[in-house]
Amino acid sequence: MIPSIAITKSDGNTGVVRPSATGVEVLIGPSSTGTQDTPTLTYKTNTAVSTFGYGPLTEFAAYQLSVGGKPRILIKSAASTAATNGTVTHSGAGTSVVTATGTPYDDFDVVFKFTTGGTIGVAGIVYQVSLDGGVTYGGSTSLGVAVTASVANTGIAIALAAGTILANQTESFSTVGPRATNADLVTALEALRLSNLSYEGIQIVTPADATMLATLDAWLTAREAEGKFRDFGLNTRARTIGTETEAQFKTAMDTAFGASSSIRGIVCADFCALVSPIRGINMKRPTLCAVGARKSAVDMSRDLAAVADGPLSGVTLADAQGNPKWHDETIYPGLDDSRFTSLRSIDQKQGAYITNPLVISASGSDYVYLQHVRCMNRACELAFQLLTEALSDGVLKQTNSDGSVTIKEEIAQRIESGINSRLRAELVTPQRVTDAQIVISRTDDLSSNAGATITGELQLSPLAYLKKFNINAKFVKTITAAAT
């Protein structure tokens, strides 16, 4: 070997850590087009639609991009549970039998309204289509001599058998879009694991179950060993309106998720209606769609239920007549007690609000609200990155009076100081937490030459979140001056 000198430039030795990806969310779910299981960073709705087409994935992205103001990482998953059409309800029908034949991209309440009647196969029949149960109709379309009718960018289609259609006849049915299964989720998560994109949380855009919750919790636990601390959001199925009472729905959800727990995320309950930036109509969407958007719009320490932040943008829980439709925790309390994140109305205020962003954690857990998870995740990530810089570093040790060999006090203080200054700068000074610190053990045995293990504790004192006021109202002779 020729004698030589090698000098290598290194980086990351001055305590600098990666910036936070707070508010950037991964969305996983089905869409009509696009490459499957390929994480794609998206900033604009039109880009999301041009890349992935239509369906739950792009509807989530469009709403959250417009409301949350932060980029989204979209992953089109497989959809092993195929889309379905509900039973067609005929009103004022002629002799033609109408059948739903399409493969819908999403959940729609479809109404075909024939404004001009006629005979199938003979030009003259004119129709309009509503995707929101008859609240909003599109423009008029001539059927011509066709025996089928379809709706662009929806996957919806109907077949019309020989016979007649009457003027003002309607054909109504609901659709259920494609759904991802747990196996589909596993494949999408592996694609995300191999990606180098930064994000704060993962949202599954179609209804999930306890198996998917366990999969996400285990997957995120594995990422924490890599220094990546993230959270998740899931949603239950929708309540079956018309056949399932609120009490029955709660019982079903308690059965489905009652044995599950995690300190890493939330499970939202039921659906809501919100204005689609893509279609411009009210569409039924998982509650998580609105909750995830609010998450990106506020600071990591902010309670998503803060009333001062106003109602959720474009979200409604009532039908067109103002009657309860989707779950309203104010009217039907109980899901909040079961650790589900729900929506509610507030008397004399317009719109919908988040009841509590509850972590689906076990009873007695310190992780109560999503902001607890978010702040702890950032603290852990900071500590992990800064401690990484100290790996394999040679440190001075000291022999104590009892013969034990431990880390030298000034070295322990130096390690603590570097991390605590960053914790204060990112969490304490901006008042995201009351206090934060890391404490290095002074008693770990350093006598062996095999390599030392130092233990420690990362401590956070969170903010207190006001959830109730108990005020006694009474008449008094004189008003006592308030203390200053």
Side-chain angles (χ1 to χ4, degrees), residues 22-25 43 45 60-72 200 203 277 289-299 304 312-313 374:
T22 300
V24 179
E25 298 284 299
Y43 293 85
T45 294
F60 253 71
Y63 179 82
Q64 294 192 358
L65 285 168
S66 65
V67 174
K70 297 289 179 66
R72 289 295 182 262
E200 183 187 8
Q203 299 176 37
C289 186
V291 172
R294 177 56 62 90
K295 175 190 174 188
S296 290
V298 302
D299 187 81
L304 303 189
L312 297 166
S313 179
R374 300 179 75 186

Side-chain angles (χ1 to χ4, degrees), residues 46-80:
N46 59 358
T47 303
V49 173
S50 64
T51 304
F52 293 102
Y54 299 88
L57 181 64
T58 49
E59 287 289 347
F60 253 71
Y63 179 82
Q64 294 192 358
L65 285 168
S66 65
V67 174
K70 297 289 179 66
R72 289 295 182 262
I73 297 169
L74 307 188
I75 303 179
K76 175 187 177 178
S77 68
S80 296

